């Protein structure tokens, strides 16, 4: 069971969408999501980082902030930037399609 952690800023739109899509539509994955901002719905914790096998961030700025604030916990962690801008609503079909386009090949899953 691979553990996937999706991270964005507020944990309101992109990362919770990714968590929902990859937990319900595909087998063999456990998913979680969190936000890097102080006022995120679910703020990122060191426990979440330690739990994850693969960490997906939505933007380069998230990867930078993650590295800056959680460096001691990122040793041997695979961090992938999806380059998905903050311009989608929660569970928006275009966002779901984009997430699948970017994440499925990385997980070696065919659509």
């Amino acid at each position: 069971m691979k553990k996937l952690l999706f991270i964005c800023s507020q944990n309101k739109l992109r990362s919770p969408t990714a968590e929902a899509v990859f937990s319900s539509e595909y087998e063999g994955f456990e998913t979680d999501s969190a936000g890097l901002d102080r006022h995120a719905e679910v703020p990122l914790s060191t426990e979440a980082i330690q739990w994850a096998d693969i960490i997906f961030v939505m933007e380069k700025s998230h990867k930078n902030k993650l590295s800056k604030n959680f460096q001691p916990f990122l040793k041997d962690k695979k961090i992938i930037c999806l380059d998905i801008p903050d311009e989608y609503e929660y569970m928006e079909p275009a966002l779901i399609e984009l997430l699948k386009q970017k994440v499925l090949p990385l997980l070696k899953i065919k659509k």
Side-chain angles (χ1 to χ4, degrees):
M1 189 71 90
K2 274 238 186 287
K3 298 175 187 132
L4 312 178
L5 176 61
F6 296 94
I7 298 172
C8 64
S9 299
Q10 294 289 325
N11 190 235
K12 289 181 181 171
L13 306 172
R14 294 172 289 174
S15 58
T17 297
E19 178 183 5
V21 167
F22 292 100
S23 69
S24 64
E25 293 186 33
Y26 302 94
E27 290 184 18
F29 300 105
E30 283 183 54
T31 62
D32 199 4
S33 66
L36 283 165
D37 289 356
R38 203 173 314 135
H39 303 294
E41 294 286 315
V42 177
L44 182 60
S45 67
T46 55
E47 292 81 15
I49 292 170
Q50 291 169 326
W51 168 86
D53 294 317
I54 305 173
I55 299 171
F56 293 96
V57 296
M58 298 296 157
E59 300 173 30
K60 285 185 182 74
S61 63
H62 298 144
K63 192 170 185 174
N64 295 339
K65 198 169 189 179
L66 181 66
S67 295
K68 185 177 162 208
N69 296 337
F70 293 92
Q71 190 60 52
F73 304 97
L74 298 174
K75 188 175 178 353
D76 301 324
K77 291 291 177 181
K78 186 172 188 175
I79 302 166
I80 298 168
C81 181
L82 298 174
D83 284 316
I84 297 177
D86 190 8
E87 55 189 38
Y88 300 94
E89 293 300 317
Y90 177 69
M91 296 304 282
E92 183 179 325
L95 173 58
I96 292 170
E97 186 57 34
L98 188 56
L99 284 162
K100 288 179 180 180
Q101 256 178 30
K102 290 181 176 254
V103 175
L104 291 178
L106 298 168
L107 299 175
K108 296 177 176 45
I109 296 173
K110 291 188 169 45
K111 272 191 182 185

